[in-house]
Amino acid sequence: MMKAYCRSRWAIWLLLATLLATGFLASWLLANSFEIVLNMWFFATAPLAVIVSIDYWRFRREWQQLQDDHPIDPVQITDPLSLAYYQKIQTLTQKLRTTRDTAHEQEQETLDTLQLWTHQIKTPLTALDLLLQVEPVNAKDARLEISKIDRYLAVMLNYLKLTTLNTDLVLTELPLKPLVNETVRDLAKLFIAKDLTVTVGPLPTVISDSQWLHFIFEQLLTNAIKYTPHGSPHGSIKIYAKGDAVMVADTGIGILAEDLPRIFEQGYSGYNGRANQKASGLGLFLSKQIAEKLGLTLTVTSEIGQGSTFAIHFPQTRWQVE
């Protein structure tokens, strides 16, 4: 500790040595007696010794605080520079703690989402396993379950890519009618399996990202298919433009009023999802997050027994209807 103290005060020691050497030189040049020189030394070093002792005591106290595991008391820090360092360290420590807590929350959130997704994907896997155990294998139903697995995998991949979405956007002038038709074709097996009719009305041309917008429409249509009863004429899904929005309307079982405010929350599947035991709530959550990054707004209205209508609101004020 003494070595550390001397090193920390080296500039002061150098200054004192310079002053003493200057005093000796001045005494010699003035031809003062040796006794006068000694008196000068005594009167110079006596108060200096007291000052150095007090300074060393303060240094020793602060040094011991640094060596102990106990928290440092800022009141006992006398050096302004040391206090400034202490405050800076406290600020950085708080930022580090906040970052660590945020990372822990995100990690826990990801683990919870993976758990929900694992539960969701087990349903088509189990169904596929049962289909393969029965001879002859029903290839149509097997392909349907495989397509479900493929979509669930796409959902998880997009969830993992969500943090880099800002760097993965390609905004172009995008006619929505071809994009929606393509999405409907991708989900054709699901529509046919439940004997549902789908109608695509005139849609606008917007400025957006085709890949991520395709994902949003796929999730909304998949959700509509899942909760719409089997068979025509009652089972139908319509996609059409209204005002500043594109609507995805179904004639399904509807959503409870108490579930509507939370329908886009991560992991929230509501009463319908719990009743079906096939929903993780991840698709609508991702759709909401992606829509916000695209500058869009997702809303929903619903009535029990009458169906639900999801609306994608676009920011454009001038629309080109095909």
Side-chain angles (χ1 to χ4, degrees), residues 194-256:
K194 295 194 71 174
D195 193 20
L196 301 177
T197 60
V198 56
T199 304
V200 181
L203 297 176
T205 295
V206 298
I207 304 297
S208 192
D209 182 283
S210 60
Q211 175 188 351
W212 291 106
L213 203 55
H214 175 88
F215 176 83
I216 293 175
F217 275 110
E218 183 177 75
Q219 296 308 308
L220 297 184
L221 288 172
T222 301
N223 190 76
I225 294 170
K226 184 183 299 183
Y227 297 112
T228 300
H230 182 279
S232 300
H234 300 293
S236 64
I237 298 172
K238 297 180 180 179
I239 303 100
Y240 58 94
K242 182 179 179 182
D244 68 341
V246 173
M247 322 296 284
V248 179
D250 62 61
T251 57
I253 60 178
I255 304 169
L256 292 175

Side-chain angles (χ1 to χ4, degrees), residues 25-50:
L25 181 60
S27 299
W28 179 73
L29 292 175
L30 296 173
N32 292 328
S33 65
F34 185 70
E35 183 179 356
I36 295 176
V37 174
L38 289 177
N39 288 333
M40 290 175 59
W41 266 68
F42 175 78
F43 287 112
T45 55
L48 180 62
V50 175

Side-chain angles (χ1 to χ4, degrees), residues 53-167:
S53 299
I54 295 174
D55 183 63
Y56 176 74
W57 175 77
R58 289 177 175 177
F59 179 86
R60 184 171 179 272
R61 182 181 61 183
E62 294 177 9
W63 180 270
Q64 288 177 342
Q65 279 189 324
L66 292 174
Q67 304 306 312
D68 294 338
D69 293 333
H70 302 293
I72 297 175
D73 183 5
V75 177
Q76 297 184 5
I77 301 177
T78 56
D79 180 43
L81 184 60
S82 298
L83 182 60
Y85 275 120
Y86 171 80
Q87 293 171 344
K88 183 68 174 179
I89 291 172
Q90 289 297 104
T91 301
L92 294 175
T93 302
Q94 182 60 40
K95 290 182 179 179
L96 179 62
R97 187 179 296 113
T98 301
T99 302
R100 182 190 59 194
D101 293 342
T102 302
H104 178 73
E105 291 175 1
Q106 291 176 345
E107 181 182 2
Q108 188 60 48
E109 186 178 272
T110 301
L111 290 175
D112 293 341
T113 301
L114 284 172
Q115 185 177 5
L116 287 169
W117 176 82
T118 301
H119 174 74
Q120 186 180 36
I121 202 173
K122 279 182 179 179
T123 302
L125 284 172
T126 302
L128 182 62
D129 181 59
L130 292 174
L131 287 169
L132 295 177
Q133 294 179 26
V134 179
E135 296 291 344
V137 175
N138 188 326
K140 178 181 177 181
D141 289 345
R143 283 193 293 270
L144 182 63
E145 298 304 324
I146 291 174
S147 66
K148 291 180 182 178
I149 295 171
D150 183 64
R151 283 192 298 277
Y152 289 154
L153 289 171
V155 168
M156 179 50 61
L157 289 174
N158 282 296
Y159 172 76
L160 296 175
K161 290 170 60 178
L162 188 60
T163 55
T164 60
L165 179 58
N166 289 334
T167 60

Side-chain angles (χ1 to χ4, degrees), residues 11-26:
I12 297 177
W13 304 131
L14 180 61
L15 177 61
L16 290 175
T18 303
L19 291 174
L20 291 174
T22 303
F24 269 118
L25 181 60

